[in-house]
């Protein structure tokens, strides 16, 4: 197994989430984040769906060529994990893998509604905590997660730079 094949630790995932705290989550911020994700995915023809939510309100959605309605459903299932646990969907999947169980077995959640697979990341606002989430679906789960973290980091570098 190479380093790329290794699953991130819970500590690594927690650090990533702590690095991407936003000053605010407005409709403009959601649009900027979503647009940045689409612009980053387009040149490589990544077949992803991008979504951003604040509470129950979806602020951004874009389905790129090659994505399907199934990606939308995976995204919703990953997002439910973030909403329930205020942790990334990859973090919750790793928590369960480390414990030798599944999200469904540990928390009695139906697999049809919850997916502890990478790609959905909580959107924390410094003064308010978790107010929403951003996610992508269409790549292998660790790549989905890394893509979202990358977009959030790049956005913060510009916003606070």
């Amino acid at each position: 197994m190479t380093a790329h094949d290794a699953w991130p630790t819970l500590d690594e995932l927690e650090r990533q989430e702590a690095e991407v705290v936003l000053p605010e989550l407005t409709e403009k911020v959601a649009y900027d984040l979503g647009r940045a994700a689409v612009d980053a995915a387009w040149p490589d023809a990544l077949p992803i769906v991008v979504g951003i939510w604040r509470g129950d309100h979806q602020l951004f959605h874009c389905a790129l060529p090659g994505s399907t309605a199934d990606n939308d459903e995976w995204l919703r299932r990953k997002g439910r994990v973030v909403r329930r646990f205020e942790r990334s969907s990859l973090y919750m999947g790793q928590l369960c893998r480390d414990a030798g169980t599944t999200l469904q077995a540990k928390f009695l959640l139906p697999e049809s509604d919850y997916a502890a697979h990478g790609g959905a990341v909580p959107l924390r606002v410094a003064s308010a905590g978790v107010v929403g989430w951003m996610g992508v679906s269409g790549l292998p789960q660790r790549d989905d997660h890394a893509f979202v973290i990358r977009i959030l980091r790049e956005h913060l570098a510009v916003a606070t730079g």
Side-chain angles (χ1 to χ4, degrees), residues 39-111:
D39 288 348
W42 201 265
D44 295 324
L46 299 180
I48 62 172
V49 168
V50 179
I52 300 172
W53 281 256
R54 184 178 59 209
D56 291 328
H57 187 189
Q58 187 171 20
L59 301 178
F60 186 91
H61 177 271
C62 186
L64 294 171
S67 66
T68 68
D70 192 49
N71 297 120
D72 285 320
E73 187 55 35
W74 271 97
L75 190 58
R76 283 189 285 275
R77 290 171 55 221
K78 292 188 254 187
R80 286 185 193 109
V81 170
V82 174
R83 297 243 0 229
R84 181 163 180 134
F85 297 101
E86 296 189 349
R87 289 285 182 191
S88 72
S89 52
L90 187 60
Y91 179 97
M92 292 307 298
Q94 191 60 44
L95 178 79
C96 292
R97 273 187 295 282
D98 287 353
T101 189
T102 65
L103 191 76
Q104 292 70 34
K106 185 171 180 64
F107 297 102
L108 303 176
L109 297 172
E111 191 172 5

Side-chain angles (χ1 to χ4, degrees), residues 7-23:
W7 289 91
T9 67
L10 293 176
D11 287 342
E12 290 169 327
L13 293 168
E14 195 171 336
R15 275 193 302 277
Q16 288 176 358
E17 290 179 34
E19 291 172 7
V20 294
V21 175
L22 300 169

